[in-house]
Amino acid sequence: MATLMRRAWNREASGDLMVVAKPYWYFGTGSSGTSHGSPYAYDTNVPLLIMGKRWIKAGAYGQYAEVMDIAPTLAHLLRVRPPAGSEGRVLTEILQSQQ
């Protein structure tokens, strides 16, 4: 939880206090609505679709990937340096063998 909160914090934009609701709780009023800001798995796990017959192996992969893995993977495919401060990994399991 602390790692997810730390990654969501921005020095220029974030406040001094971060509040996390209980799982499946929602801040707001009314009987319907949604949020995509909680650090719980039901709110953070989403499908990632990457296409490109020349570079990407067809298939479904169950390995864990994070948003921060997209930039290093694209940089690898483009044969350029990953962005400064990049923390992710190259998603080697999805790449064609010629990579």
Side-chain angles (χ1 to χ4, degrees):
M1 178 77 67
T3 299
L4 294 171
M5 302 271 303
R6 201 169 26 257
R7 288 180 183 160
W9 186 78
N10 180 292
R11 181 179 306 247
E12 289 83 29
S14 296
D16 296 330
L17 177 68
M18 293 182 83
V19 178
V20 178
K22 292 180 183 181
Y24 303 102
W25 283 51
Y26 175 74
F27 291 115
T29 59
S31 60
S32 65
T34 185
S35 167
H36 296 292
S38 83
Y40 301 109
Y42 64 84
D43 212 10
T44 60
N45 291 353
V46 296
L48 171 63
L49 177 69
I50 300 180
M51 296 172 56
K53 189 174 7 176
R54 181 175 172 190
W55 306 282
I56 308 298
K57 288 189 294 190
Y61 303 90
Q63 291 89 341
Y64 186 76
E66 298 190 61
V67 170
M68 63 186 186
D69 297 334
I70 297 170
T73 302
L74 293 176
H76 175 81
L77 289 170
L78 296 170
R79 293 184 169 87
V80 298
R81 236 184 286 188
S86 177
E87 296 180 17
R89 67 180 183 89
V90 175
L91 299 171
T92 55
E93 63 272 18
I94 70 167
L95 302 178
Q96 293 283 10
S97 58
Q98 68 224 24
Q99 296 297 319

